[in-house]
Amino acid sequence: MESVLSKYENQITIFADYLEEFPDTDELVWILGKQHLLKTEKSKLLSDISARLWFTYRRKFSPIGGTGPSSDAGWGCMLRCGQMMLAQALICRHLGRDWNWERQKEQPKEYQQILQCFLDRKDCCYSIHQMAQMGVGEGKSIGEWFGPNTVAQVLKKLALFDEWNSLAVYVSMDNTVVIEDIKKMCHTLPLSAETAAESPPESLNASTQSKGPSACSPAWKPLLLIVPLRLGINQINPVYVDAFKECFKMPQSLGALGGKPNNAYYFIGFLGDELIFLDPHTTQTFVDTEENGTVDDQTFHCLQPPQRMNILNLDPSVALGFFCKEEKDFDSWCSLVQKEILKENLRMFELVQKHPSHWPPFVPPAKPEVTTTGAEFIDSTEQLEEFDLEEDFEILSI
């Protein structure tokens, strides 16, 4: 017990200088839907921040596509931020928002499975390899910098092949979230005879059976909702600041992707008018699965001081993320948006009940029927491009 406490104290000591930098204030710090009082809950706040999965540049992984880059340093920051947002969704999906992480403490097996989804290997479903190659279908060469909307479209396509997490990924178009379309997509379950015949991973059986009534209802596919926005022309319009901050207060919050031109950050909360973010711009060595099947997770949690920036310095191109494990979570989110976002004269985005009549018909994306050898997760982007059932719309400038 003493050793656990000493490790915890050491972890807090690392943040000592950072704590002194915070202003002496009674203001609340908001981190992904949870509030912390700075004066009395500093250690709790820092523990909450360090529990988020932190993905950075890596080097010495196998070349992307066999002959491509073996490091994403200098170009992969937005992809890493997309990984962080998705990883937070998966943590909420399997472990809950209140789950916490401690160094060298044994974690649930679902945690290890989540981590392995993001390893820098071509056969991991959300690896830098899969994301970079899927970006080719979005007009991005391997090694080219992504914007928030491109990352969202790539995650939407890759999720079609991810049966264990079974997420419905909705990326809004034209600054508009359509309730009817989301309900249609999340109530569409892949219960074909072929899928039913496949045996799900043991961990999935264990996690759904052991949690009883709290497990996901079979009538609702857990929702990852991404809202790409442009909140100004060359810089963020101050009229959007309050609404933007409100999104971090929502229990469904997954934060935001954004930053500065060609410099992406994962924003997880705010204090006053300063955004708190995790920074992917550190290059670490590739980490692979160990012989016992686990991953050494020491380099996947940021124990350094999280950084802050004034919200008005944010590039206007951003993407908000939200996770709704059950339908009631989505209904609650809609109510919060009506109350906090739609009250503004110049709205950050729109929430409508019905599919706009001038849009193409909405067809929920489905996993394409393809024959693979099982040697790779996805052989090429062509499989998804051929079966992509939604048109990707560029976000209109405001």
Side-chain angles (χ1 to χ4, degrees):
M1 181 68 179
E2 285 184 9
S3 63
V4 172
L5 286 174
S6 64
K7 285 175 191 169
Y8 188 74
E9 290 300 324
N10 288 338
Q11 180 176 325
I12 299 307
T13 304
I14 294 172
F15 290 99
D17 294 338
Y18 163 65
L19 292 177
E20 296 302 318
E21 292 175 12
F22 268 125
D24 185 18
T25 175
D26 291 323
E27 281 190 89
L28 290 168
V29 179
W30 287 91
I31 301 292
L32 300 174
K34 291 183 74 171
Q35 61 181 34
H36 301 278
L37 188 59
L38 195 57
K39 281 189 172 179
T40 58
E41 299 177 324
K42 289 178 180 176
S43 62
K44 203 170 153 190
L45 164 66
L46 296 170
S47 178
D48 191 21
I49 292 171
S50 66
R52 303 313 112 215
L53 280 174
W54 178 49
F55 298 120
T56 71
Y57 292 150
R58 296 275 173 173
R59 60 176 176 266
K60 298 185 179 178
F61 48 69
S62 63
I64 296 175
T67 57
S70 57
S71 171
D72 63 312
W75 61 271
C77 54
M78 185 62 83
L79 284 76
R80 297 300 184 179
C81 291
Q83 287 180 328
M84 286 190 263
M85 177 179 279
L86 178 57
Q88 180 59 24
L90 300 187
I91 284 172
C92 292
R93 162 91 166 84
H94 296 288
L95 305 173
R97 172 62 183 90
D98 293 332
W99 168 83
N100 223 325
W101 174 85
E102 287 179 37
R103 200 168 5 177
Q104 296 176 329
K105 177 186 175 184
E106 187 175 349
Q107 297 295 342
K109 55 187 174 183
E110 291 90 347
Y111 166 77
Q112 280 287 333
Q113 283 185 276
I114 291 169
L115 200 50
Q116 296 202 27
C117 290
F118 298 94
L119 294 183
D120 303 314
R121 293 170 29 164
K122 64 180 182 180
D123 57 347
C124 295
C125 52
Y126 301 113
S127 66
I128 194 78
H129 298 66
Q130 295 291 350
M131 294 183 73
Q133 291 187 298
M134 192 58 64
V136 174
E138 298 296 319
K140 297 291 184 180
S141 302
I142 292 173
E144 188 177 352
W145 196 84
F146 283 28
N149 185 44
T150 305
V151 166
Q153 301 296 345
V154 163
L155 293 178
K156 179 180 75 173
K157 291 182 176 181
L158 289 176
L160 297 175
F161 287 80
D162 177 15
E163 291 181 4
W164 176 56
N165 292 302
S166 187
L167 291 181
V169 181
Y170 179 93
V171 182
S172 67
M173 300 184 298
D174 291 355
N175 300 344
T176 304
V177 176
V178 183
I179 295 172
E180 178 183 52
D181 294 347
I182 288 176
K183 297 255 182 177
K184 184 177 181 181
M185 182 172 66
C186 290
H187 286 141
T188 303
L189 290 178
L191 292 178
S192 64
E194 179 188 24
T195 309
E198 296 174 2
S199 57
E202 289 182 19
S203 60
L204 189 57
N205 282 334
S207 64
T208 51
Q209 290 172 7
S210 63
K211 292 178 184 173
S214 66
C216 289
S217 163
W220 177 264
K221 204 171 183 182
L223 170 68
L224 168 56
L225 168 59
I226 304 178
V227 186
L229 300 170
R230 189 160 184 89
L231 302 178
I233 301 173
N234 297 318
Q235 59 188 48
I236 188 169
N237 188 329
V239 74
Y240 295 120
V241 166
D242 288 342
F244 189 74
K245 286 160 61 175
E246 281 296 328
C247 293
F248 292 97
K249 296 182 180 180
M250 297 177 180
Q252 301 85 355
S253 175
L254 295 176
L257 308 177
K260 299 174 182 178
N262 298 335
N263 216 17
Y265 304 125
Y266 175 42
F267 296 96
I268 58 173
F270 72 92
L271 167 64
D273 285 328
E274 290 188 317
L275 296 172
I276 298 170
F277 62 89
L278 294 178
D279 187 351
H281 299 91
T282 296
T283 306
Q284 304 187 88
T285 303
F286 162 66
V287 172
D288 205 349
T289 310
E290 297 182 342
E291 288 183 6
N292 62 3
T294 64
V295 178
D296 182 355
D297 65 353
Q298 299 300 301
T299 61
F300 292 99
H301 294 272
C302 183
L303 296 178
Q304 301 167 353
Q307 298 188 49
R308 292 176 286 150
M309 67 178 278
N310 189 290
I311 194 169
L312 292 177
N313 293 331
L314 184 68
D315 186 86
S317 182
V318 299
L320 298 167
F322 304 94
F323 177 72
C324 302
K325 184 174 182 179
E326 299 177 12
E327 187 169 10
K328 65 181 181 182
D329 300 323
F330 177 63
D331 293 338
S332 169
W333 179 82
C334 291
S335 298
L336 286 170
V337 169
Q338 293 277 2
K339 181 181 173 186
E340 301 297 342
I341 307 298
L342 302 185
K343 66 180 181 182
E344 305 292 339
N345 289 330
L346 190 55
R347 296 170 175 176
M348 193 164 61
F349 61 88
E350 297 289 344
L351 177 66
V352 299
Q353 186 69 46
K354 295 291 184 184
H355 185 85
S357 58
H358 61 282
W359 282 13
F362 177 79
V363 182
K367 180 183 175 183
E369 298 294 330
V370 292
T371 304
T372 64
T373 61
E376 290 187 26
F377 182 71
I378 297 175
D379 293 317
S380 71
T381 58
E382 293 174 4
Q383 293 176 7
L384 277 180
E385 285 177 57
E386 184 180 349
F387 292 94
D388 191 26
L389 299 175
E390 283 188 276
E391 283 191 54
D392 292 338
F393 284 70
E394 286 299 317
I395 302 306
L396 297 178
S397 297
I398 294 173

